[in-house]
Amino acid sequence: MKNYDYLIVGAGLFGAVFAREATKMGKKCLVIDKRPNVAGNIYTEKQENINVHKYGAHIFHTSDKEVWDYMNQFCEFNNYINSPIANYKGELYNLPFNMNTFSKMWNIQTPAEAKAIIESQKAELNISEPKNLEEQGLSLVGKDIYEKLIKGYTQKQWGRPCTELPAFIIKRLPLRFTYDNNYFNDRYQGIPIGGYTAIIEKMLEGSDVKLSTDYFDFIKDNADIAEKIVFTGEIDKFYNYEFGPLEWRAVRFENETLDEENYQGVAVMNYTDAETPFTRIIEHKHFENSVSPKTIISKEYSSEWKLGDDPYYPINNDKNNELYQKYLERSKQDKNVIFGGRLGTYKYYDMDKVVRAALDTVKAELSK
Ligand code: FAD
Ligand code: UDP
C-alpha cells in the first residue's frame, strides 16, 4: 500500500502548481525539497521591510491570460514595469533597445534616423542568415549597440564568446522604435505584493511538505512511498549522469545592506562592459516601492558550473540539447516518473512557461 499518489521532488513553482492541482482532485501528495525553504528559485525573504529575491530578481510577465488568472488566485500583483538601465563604463542607456537608447547613443530624435544608422551599420557586415548570437545582435541593432550593450554582458553571463552562443538568447529582448522602456512585450506584468514565497505556501496547502530532504537519500528508505514521482531536479542526475553531465551556468549573489534610502534609483542596473566582474546590481526595494531607511542590493556574478554546484541557466547549445534528448528518450522507459520544470526538462523557462507546463502536465496526468 503506497502512502501517497505523488512524491513531488522540488517545492519550486512547477512542483507547487502540480501539487495544488492534484490535491484539488483528491490526490495525496508529498512534496520534498533539499533546500530548507519552499519556492525554489523564486524564494523571497523579508529583510529591513524589503522582500529580497534570494535566488535572483524575478519579474512575472506573460501573455497567457489563463496563467495570469491562475496566478492571481494566490496573490495580488502590483503595477511594476521592468525598465532596467545599462551602465557601460558610466554611460547610462535605457533597455530594452528603443528610441531612448538610440537617441542617447547617436544623439538623434526620430525612428527614421535610428533605422538609417542601424541599416548602414548592418550593410557593412553583410550577414544574411544570423548563425549565432553575435550575428543576430549585430543584425538587429548594429555595431555600436552590440559592442557597448551586448558583447561584454553576454560573454560575462554565459562565459563563452557570442560567436559560440545560440541566436535565440538575444531574441528574448524586445527591439522597438518607440520611446518605451518596458523590458517585456507581454500583456500582463507585475511583482506579487508581499513576495513569491507566500504564493507557493498557498499552493502547497493540502500537501505534506518535507524540507531539507534530498531525493537521492530519501528514496533509499522510501522506495514504495508513492504511486508516481514528479521530479523537478536535474534529469541527468536522476539517471546518475549515465550519458554524461549536462552543462549549466551558475550564479552567485553578493548581498549588501546599505545605510541609505536609495542606492541606484532603479531595480535592475546591468553592467554591460567586459571588465566589471558582476553582470548586474539588483536593488530589491524598487520592485514593491518598499519603505525602509535602508536598502538591500545584490551583485550578480555568473560563473562556470561544476558538478555539485547549484544549476541556474541551461546552456542550450547543440551539444547539450542532443545530450538532453538522450535523457528524454531514456525517461520514456520510466512510466512512473514525470519530469518537469527548468531542471527536469533542461529549458530556459520563464515562470509563466513553467506554470503553463505544470498545468498541462497535471491535466494530462489526471485525465489518464
Ligand atoms: P526551481 O525553482 O529551481 O525548483 C526546483 C526545486 O527542486 C528546487 O527548490 C530544488 O532545491 C529542488 N530539488 C532539485 N533537486 C532535488 C533533489 N535531488 N532533492 C530534493 N529537491 C531537489 N523567470 C521569469 O518569469 N521572470 C524573471 O524575472 C526571471 N528571472 C530569473 C533570474 C534568474 C537568475 C534565474 C536563474 C531564473 C529566472 N527566471 C525568471 C526563471 C525562473 O526562476 C524559473 O522559471 C522558475 O523558478 C522555475 O521553477 P522550477 O520549479 O522549474 O525550478
Ligand atoms: N543581454 C545583453 N545586454 C543586456 C541584457 C541582456 O546583451 O544588457 C542579452 C544577454 O545575452 C542575455 C540575454 O540578452 O543573456 C537575455 O537577457 P535577459 O535579461 O532576458 O536574461 P535573464 O533575465 O534571463 O538573465
Side-chain angles (χ1 to χ4, degrees), residues 16-280:
V17 169
F18 192 104
R20 155 84 185 183
E21 294 310 300
T23 48
K24 233 170 67 183
M25 298 297 284
K27 302 292 180 190
K28 270 191 87 185
C29 298
L30 172 63
V31 182
I32 63 169
D33 203 296
K34 62 183 176 186
R35 292 184 183 170
N37 52 270
V38 297
N41 274 6
I42 64 174
Y43 175 66
T44 49
E45 188 179 277
K46 200 162 226 178
Q47 294 171 8
E48 309 288 351
N49 202 38
I50 299 164
N51 286 311
V52 177
H53 299 208
K54 286 292 229 187
Y55 298 94
H58 280 78
I59 300 115
F60 197 90
H61 56 97
T62 190
S63 295
D64 186 332
K65 176 134 181 13
E66 205 183 315
V67 166
W68 179 248
D69 291 342
Y70 184 80
M71 291 301 285
N72 274 273
Q73 297 176 79
F74 306 101
C75 68
E76 186 184 341
F77 283 93
N78 69 12
N79 59 351
Y80 178 83
I81 298 286
N82 198 32
S83 309
I85 298 290
N87 186 330
Y88 177 77
K89 302 184 179 183
E91 290 172 32
L92 302 189
Y93 296 95
N94 289 107
L95 291 173
F97 309 125
N98 74 82
M99 284 307 298
N100 290 301
T101 329
F102 308 140
S103 129
K104 176 92 182 256
M105 184 74 67
W106 299 311
N107 195 22
I108 48 118
Q109 289 182 28
T110 66
E113 288 172 296
K115 283 182 184 167
I117 295 177
I118 293 173
E119 282 309 316
S120 74
Q121 296 193 354
K122 262 166 73 174
E124 288 167 25
L125 299 161
N126 209 4
I127 299 165
S128 48
E129 186 70 24
K131 287 190 298 296
N132 53 49
L133 197 154
E134 174 165 293
E135 293 190 0
Q136 182 69 44
L138 284 166
S139 52
L140 271 179
V141 287
K143 190 163 168 292
D144 294 344
I145 290 182
Y146 174 74
E147 295 287 342
K148 285 190 172 178
L149 304 185
I150 298 178
K151 192 175 177 187
Y153 185 91
T154 300
Q155 298 197 353
K156 284 193 292 189
Q157 166 76 10
W158 295 99
R160 284 153 179 74
C162 293
T163 46
E164 289 175 22
L165 288 164
F168 84 86
I169 294 178
I170 197 80
K171 287 189 196 155
R172 285 169 59 87
L173 302 193
L175 161 70
R176 43 176 106 88
F177 292 89
T178 53
Y179 287 92
D180 176 0
N181 295 328
N182 184 347
Y183 199 60
F184 302 112
N185 278 330
D186 282 320
R187 172 70 183 80
Y188 309 102
Q189 181 172 174
I191 300 286
I193 298 168
Y196 288 92
T197 307
I199 299 178
I200 300 294
E201 284 167 351
K202 280 194 193 145
M203 288 176 174
L204 293 175
E205 281 169 12
S207 296
D208 290 340
V209 179
K210 264 174 87 68
L211 300 175
S212 304
T213 302
D214 193 297
Y215 168 77
F216 299 102
D217 297 327
F218 181 79
I219 203 67
K220 285 181 201 153
D221 301 323
N222 297 282
D224 289 326
I225 200 163
E227 297 287 345
K228 277 195 168 180
I229 295 171
V230 176
F231 191 81
T232 74
E234 301 104 287
I235 187 169
D236 54 345
K237 191 169 181 188
F238 186 88
Y239 290 114
N240 204 16
Y241 306 108
E242 65 183 59
F243 305 119
L246 292 162
E247 291 175 302
W248 301 85
R249 283 300 279 174
V251 185
R252 180 171 62 81
F253 304 98
E254 258 175 31
N255 293 352
E256 292 170 48
T257 303
L258 305 177
D259 237 339
E260 62 182 296
E261 224 181 297
N262 185 358
Y263 172 72
Q264 64 183 16
V266 68
V268 184
M269 189 172 292
N270 291 357
Y271 286 77
T272 56
D273 64 297
E275 293 76 28
T276 305
F278 43 84
T279 50
R280 52 191 172 190

Side-chain angles (χ1 to χ4, degrees), residues 288-308:
E288 293 185 65
N289 287 326
S290 306
V291 179
S292 173
K294 299 197 180 187
T295 195
I296 299 177
I297 61 166
S298 302
K299 290 181 181 151
E300 208 170 303
Y301 294 83
S302 181
S303 60
E304 203 58 36
W305 170 91
K306 52 184 185 337
L307 270 182

